[in-house]
């Protein structure tokens, strides 16, 4: 996948978060364990909030940053496509945690890669802020998941 502009990257990430929220919702309907259901419901809202936040960030990012070209960056699709049907059996708490952490790690890698190729200080700062936010969200998720796993 090519990302000609930072705008395209953010649109792709927003779309992916939305798709993940839909997946988590489908899995929540299938889940039998209450803890798994709770974590999935949390992730549905979490992904929607991230998506909404990225849209706001994109709207408030200066045009000279949001329209920066990243011609040299080409990647395969960043996010593995998950489907609720991939989980025929009842999904476990560990399965949910693994899916969420994989997405977080791939986003962190993306933001690091883009920041390292940023052509301006403002773009690098924007991407480093997104990187910081993603790392904080990952920590918060891990704390929530750990709490569910201990109870």
């Amino acid at each position: 996948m090519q990302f000609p502009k930072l705008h395209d990257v953010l649109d792709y990430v927003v779309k992916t978060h939305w798709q993940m929220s839909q997946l988590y919702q489908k899995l929540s309907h299938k889940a039998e364990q209450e803890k798994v259901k709770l974590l999935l419901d949390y992730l549905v809202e979490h992904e929607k909030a991230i998506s909404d936040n990225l849209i706001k960030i994109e709207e408030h990012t200066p045009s000279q940053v949001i329209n920066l070209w990243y011609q040299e960056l080409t990647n395969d699709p960043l996010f593995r496509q998950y489907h609720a049907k991939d989980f025929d059996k009842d999904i476990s708490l560990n399965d949910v945690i693994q899916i969420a952490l994989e997405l977080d790690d791939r986003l962190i890698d993306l933001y690091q890669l883009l920041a390292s190729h940023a052509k301006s200080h403002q773009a690098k700062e924007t991407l480093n802020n997104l990187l910081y936010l993603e790392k904080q969200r990952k920590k918060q998720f891990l704390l929530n998941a750990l709490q569910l796993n201990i109870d």
Side-chain angles (χ1 to χ4, degrees):
M1 173 166 279
Q2 289 189 333
F3 295 123
K5 295 182 183 179
L6 183 56
H7 168 76
D8 299 316
V9 175
L10 294 179
D11 284 350
Y12 179 64
V13 174
V14 165
K15 179 181 173 188
T16 299
H17 281 295
W18 182 253
Q19 289 171 339
M20 291 303 292
S21 75
Q22 291 176 325
L23 170 71
Y24 293 142
Q25 192 161 26
K26 288 176 186 173
L27 292 174
S28 177
H29 293 303
K30 291 174 68 171
E32 295 176 11
Q33 299 173 39
E34 190 58 32
K35 287 181 182 182
V36 173
K37 220 174 198 10
L38 280 171
L39 186 58
L40 286 164
D41 290 344
Y42 163 80
L43 284 168
V44 168
E45 295 307 315
H46 178 75
E47 295 297 333
K48 286 179 183 177
I50 293 170
S51 185
D52 291 344
N53 190 38
L54 283 171
I55 290 169
K56 288 176 187 171
I57 289 170
E58 189 174 0
E59 289 170 353
H60 292 93
T61 301
S63 63
Q64 67 268 25
V65 173
I66 204 75
N67 290 316
L68 281 175
W69 285 84
Y70 283 91
Q71 287 178 300
E72 68 276 9
L73 295 181
T74 57
N75 277 327
D76 294 326
L78 213 49
F79 305 105
R80 179 176 156 213
Q81 292 295 315
Y82 291 100
H83 302 281
K85 67 178 188 249
D86 293 341
F87 300 95
D88 291 334
K89 63 178 178 44
D90 185 33
I91 191 166
S92 72
L93 197 60
N94 286 336
D95 290 336
V96 174
I97 292 168
Q98 182 179 356
I99 292 167
L101 290 177
E102 182 179 340
L103 176 61
D104 288 341
D105 289 343
R106 288 177 181 210
L107 280 168
I108 288 167
D109 290 347
L110 172 65
Y111 292 142
Q112 287 174 331
L113 178 67
L114 291 172
S116 73
H117 286 80
K119 303 284 188 227
S120 75
H121 172 72
Q122 209 172 14
K124 188 181 242 12
E125 186 177 330
T126 299
L127 289 159
N128 282 328
N129 287 339
L130 289 171
L131 176 61
Y132 174 79
L133 289 172
E134 190 57 40
K135 286 180 177 181
Q136 293 305 308
R137 282 193 281 263
K138 182 179 178 181
K139 285 179 189 176
Q140 185 62 49
F141 169 73
L142 282 170
L143 289 173
N144 291 336
L146 183 60
Q147 187 175 6
L148 274 175
N149 220 359
I150 292 173
D151 291 340

